[in-house]
Amino acid sequence: LLPSAKLMSVDEVYDISKTFVDEGVDKIRLTGGEPLVRKDFEKIARRLSTLPAELAISTNGILVDKYIPLFKEIGLNKINLSLDSLNAEKFKHITRRDHFEKVMQNLQLLLDNGFEVKINVVLMKDFNEDEVLDFIEFTRDKDISVRFIEFMPFGGNNWKSDKLVSLASILEKAETAFGQKLIRLSDDEHDTTKN
């Protein structure tokens, strides 16, 4: 939402990315609000694809269908899709937009085109914590990972510590529902996540 003069230019994004890659960074994730709304997104993505680094993106999924050919062309295969509810009304409430069906269609389009998709779910007590099992079930027959993310304080999101959903409560729900079928995966050395 910043004026374009306050945004990094294509050259600035490329230059800083190249500097990091030259220093050993091997993965670049395009994120920050919604990267696909930038008018110069395609230019940025094409420039970054020339670097010897894996490209990934975090998106709300609304505009994804317009960029699938570009993603394929430049080798951007990893998509993190923000989706905080599988309920259309809750989705509309949290996003303030009525795009649930579009996001679900685009999610299926990504899967149909062989992209590696992770769903990011920001859990909030008394809002969507009751959907933990729904999200897990949603992944049963789909090649999707779901990641439950802690509700973090950002300007304007009415953050309160009593809205946090603990890892222990997520695991308790999953263990109660799935028992021995629940398998703890190993975490990478520097992961801040629990797999």
Side-chain angles (χ1 to χ4, degrees):
L1 299 177
L2 292 172
S4 57
K6 299 241 180 204
L7 296 174
M8 291 174 67
S9 69
V10 175
D11 288 337
E12 288 171 324
V13 172
Y14 175 80
D15 290 344
I16 197 168
S17 299
K18 184 177 184 321
T19 299
F20 277 105
V21 170
D22 289 346
E23 294 299 321
V25 168
D26 60 5
K27 182 177 182 181
I28 299 170
R29 175 172 305 285
L30 300 166
T31 186
E34 175 52 52
L36 298 179
V37 298
R38 280 191 64 144
K39 290 180 172 74
D40 56 1
F41 173 80
E42 183 172 346
K43 288 179 185 175
I44 291 170
R46 285 187 185 283
R47 290 281 303 276
L48 294 178
S49 73
T50 66
L51 296 172
E54 177 183 73
L55 270 183
I57 189 169
S58 293
T59 176
N60 64 23
I62 295 169
L63 300 173
V64 161
D65 54 316
K66 296 176 181 168
Y67 290 97
I68 285 179
L70 173 67
F71 293 168
K72 286 181 165 186
E73 181 184 336
I74 66 173
L76 192 159
N77 297 317
K78 295 189 175 187
I79 316 283
N80 283 16
L81 185 79
S82 299
L83 182 65
D84 295 326
S85 181
L86 294 172
N87 174 294
E89 285 306 310
K90 282 186 190 178
F91 177 93
K92 185 177 179 180
H93 173 77
I94 198 159
T95 64
R96 298 184 194 108
R97 290 176 176 82
D98 194 11
H99 294 298
F100 180 76
E101 290 304 322
K102 177 71 169 177
V103 171
M104 296 306 283
Q105 289 168 2
N106 282 343
L107 171 57
Q108 190 58 53
L109 196 57
L110 289 168
L111 295 173
D112 292 345
N113 280 275
F115 288 92
E116 184 179 321
V117 178
K118 290 181 183 175
I119 296 177
N120 291 340
V121 182
V122 176
L123 285 180
M124 291 167 277
K125 194 174 293 264
D126 301 323
F127 180 71
N128 64 350
E129 70 177 324
D130 61 332
E131 294 188 69
V132 166
L133 298 180
D134 296 335
F135 273 104
I136 294 171
E137 281 293 339
F138 185 72
T139 69
R140 181 185 296 273
D141 300 316
K142 296 176 182 63
D143 192 15
I144 297 178
S145 297
V146 63
R147 301 178 339 149
F148 298 112
I149 298 176
E150 183 178 320
F151 181 48
M152 301 293 287
F154 293 109
N157 74 351
N158 297 317
W159 183 88
K160 292 180 185 166
S161 61
D162 62 355
K163 291 189 177 199
L164 295 176
V165 179
S166 70
L167 173 62
S169 69
I170 295 168
L171 290 175
E172 181 182 337
K173 288 176 197 266
E175 287 169 355
T176 299
F178 302 106
Q180 297 299 318
K181 297 177 191 171
L182 190 66
I183 300 168
R184 176 76 164 95
L185 303 176
S186 61
D187 302 316
D188 289 336
E189 183 181 359
H190 300 290
D191 272 355
T192 56
T193 59
K194 306 289 184 237
N195 292 308

